Amino acid sequence: MSLQSDMLAQSDMLACREMIKEGSHTFHAASKVLPRRISDPAIALYAFCRVADDAVDLGLDRAAAVELLKDRLDRACRGVPRAYPSDRAFADVVARFSIPPAIPEALIEGLEWDAQGRRFETLSDLYSYCARVAGTVGVMMTLVMGQRKPDIVARACDLGCAMQLTNIARDIGEDARNGRIYMPLSWMREAGLDPETWLANPKFTPEIASIVKRLIDTADALYDRATLGIANLPRSCRPGIFAARALYAEIGREVERSGLDSVSSRAVVSTGRKLAVLARLLAFQETEWAPAKYLPAKFGDMEETKFLVDAVIAHPVRELPARQKVKPIEQKVAWLVDLFTRLERRDQMLQRSRV
């Protein structure tokens, strides 16, 4: 790589990091626990996914935004990205880590479903959506970590889908006020709710509470399944992914503490509670970070995510760079706890300055 190219790559990564700082404190913090060889590609992936999501969610012409994203993705996968930092950084990650184009293409398809206002009749239909908008991200992260075994990739899909179900359970009221329903329509009818009538006047009811509970329980089952895959990631990567899993699962606990009412307000996990969750990670014994000794041949993979696993199996692999020496797990997780402590102090100072 020439000096000019190296400087451009560094500039692109800096831009992606700034985007992450503004867009997701949790992801930014969790990325700090990953080794640099993983965190930089992870940030590049997240930045491109964030740009794609915002283009569809915030754009006035969503259909046109989707078509533009398809072109940007095609160019990035062919190694001729558009002149945006996120696109250039993403193109580099796709090439270096042999990411099948079918994976980010599925992500764009999921965003296209959002643009169309698609609704989901069954849980299986909702899984298909989650596989595209979140399972794809889990798969790409797993490939960046150098893992391509089908069972581990399938567990990454489980984790991504669990996180998306958590988002849906948390954002029911916010989505409804934007004219969207992500709850399975069949679940609403089973609870005695007409989707259109409820959407016209979204209110929290015991029936909605029962649906929120089903979504959280479904997510928790997937979080449990995903744990086996995390345990088989490289040792240096496990703390960051375990932290992300734990922090996201805690959103479900916060929704439960609010009485399952995610219509009247949106659950937010406080910094103090995040610190408590991360402190529990510090209590893990070394044996609990060790790789699982085996992955069952029949683990009940979701049919809705199988096409992502198949795409990884079929794609040719480029040799990854040699691993670097990493810091002890306890040191990395302790750093993350310290980061959240500093963020909490900063928030308190900002609040006092406004008084």
Side-chain angles (χ1 to χ4, degrees):
M1 181 181 289
S2 68
L3 178 61
Q4 185 177 7
S5 297
D6 185 56
M7 291 178 63
L8 180 60
Q10 291 181 31
S11 175
D12 289 344
M13 185 52 59
L14 179 62
C16 290
R17 287 197 197 101
E18 289 301 315
M19 189 183 304
I20 299 308
K21 287 181 184 178
E22 294 297 323
S24 175
H25 291 307
T26 298
F27 183 88
H28 171 64
S31 72
K32 292 292 186 179
V33 189
L34 295 169
R36 187 64 174 268
R37 65 184 175 84
I38 303 298
S39 65
D40 277 1
I43 287 171
L45 287 177
Y46 185 93
F48 185 83
C49 294
R50 181 62 186 253
V51 166
D53 192 43
D54 286 350
V56 175
D57 255 0
L58 306 179
L60 296 177
D61 188 340
R62 291 179 174 176
V66 168
E67 291 306 311
L68 177 59
L69 282 174
K70 289 179 179 178
D71 177 69
R72 289 174 66 173
L73 176 60
D74 175 67
R75 290 173 62 95
C77 289
R78 288 189 291 110
V80 286
R82 285 178 174 265
Y84 303 115
S86 60
D87 291 42
R88 287 191 296 259
F90 179 74
D92 178 64
V93 172
V94 167
R96 283 169 55 204
F97 296 96
S98 304
I99 294 177
I103 306 300
E105 285 170 2
L107 170 64
I108 301 300
E109 183 181 26
L111 298 179
E112 186 171 22
W113 290 4
D114 267 332
Q116 296 167 349
R118 185 176 295 203
R119 296 179 185 174
F120 310 102
E121 182 64 28
T122 66
L123 179 60
S124 177
D125 296 334
L126 184 58
Y127 277 155
S128 293
Y129 169 73
C130 293
R132 285 161 173 79
V133 298
T136 52
V137 181
V139 171
M140 290 189 284
M141 282 289 295
T142 302
L143 299 183
V144 163
M145 294 176 198
Q147 297 297 313
R148 308 182 77 91
K149 292 181 180 178
D151 288 321
I152 297 178
V153 173
R155 303 289 71 77
C157 292
D158 290 341
L159 181 58
C161 289
M163 290 177 166
Q164 188 62 28
L165 288 173
T166 297
N167 283 338
I168 291 169
R170 177 194 60 192
D171 297 338
I172 285 177
E174 184 176 309
D175 288 333
R177 287 184 282 276
N178 287 320
R180 297 179 176 181
I181 295 178
Y182 290 95
M183 296 175 284
L185 301 182
S186 60
W187 288 13
M188 297 186 74
R189 297 190 188 96
E190 288 171 16
L193 297 171
D194 175 70
E196 293 299 337
T197 301
W198 182 82
L199 186 62
N201 186 23
K203 291 183 178 179
F204 177 67
T205 65
E207 292 78 14
I208 290 295
S210 69
I211 295 173
V212 173
K213 178 62 174 172
R214 288 180 73 177
L215 286 169
I216 292 174
D217 288 347
T218 303
D220 285 342
L222 291 176
Y223 283 127
D224 287 344
R225 284 159 50 118
T227 300
L228 188 56
I230 298 173
N232 282 276
L233 293 174
R235 181 177 179 272
S236 60
C237 299
R238 291 173 220 151
I241 307 305
F242 266 120
R245 174 203 178 281
L247 291 172
Y248 246 87
E250 189 63 23
I251 295 173
R253 307 288 75 78
E254 192 65 32
V255 172
E256 291 174 335
R257 283 189 284 269
S258 68
L260 299 170
D261 182 2
S262 54
V263 177
S264 305
S265 62
R266 186 177 187 266
V268 176
V269 181
S270 68
T271 301
R273 195 164 293 279
K274 287 178 180 177
L275 290 171
V277 170
L278 294 170
R280 289 201 298 269
L281 292 181
L282 278 175
F284 279 10
Q285 299 298 316
E286 184 66 25
T287 54
E288 295 186 64
W289 293 107
K293 294 181 179 179
Y294 66 92
L295 285 172
K298 302 282 186 182
F299 201 71
D301 294 345
M302 289 193 293
E303 186 64 30
E304 296 83 1
T305 61
K306 186 175 182 297
F307 76 104
L308 298 174
V309 180
D310 289 343
V312 173
I313 294 172
H315 194 70
V317 181
R318 178 178 179 176
E319 186 176 349
L320 293 174
R323 293 183 181 178
Q324 301 173 0
K325 187 175 181 180
V326 298
K327 296 179 181 179
I329 288 167
E330 293 79 5
Q331 185 176 347
K332 287 178 172 293
V333 180
W335 187 96
L336 184 56
V337 171
D338 179 64
L339 174 61
F340 274 116
T341 302
R342 286 186 281 117
L343 286 173
E344 183 173 37
R345 289 172 183 165
R346 187 194 66 178
D347 291 343
Q348 290 172 349
M349 292 177 63
L350 287 173
Q351 290 174 2
R352 285 196 293 268
S353 69
R354 295 190 185 106
V355 176

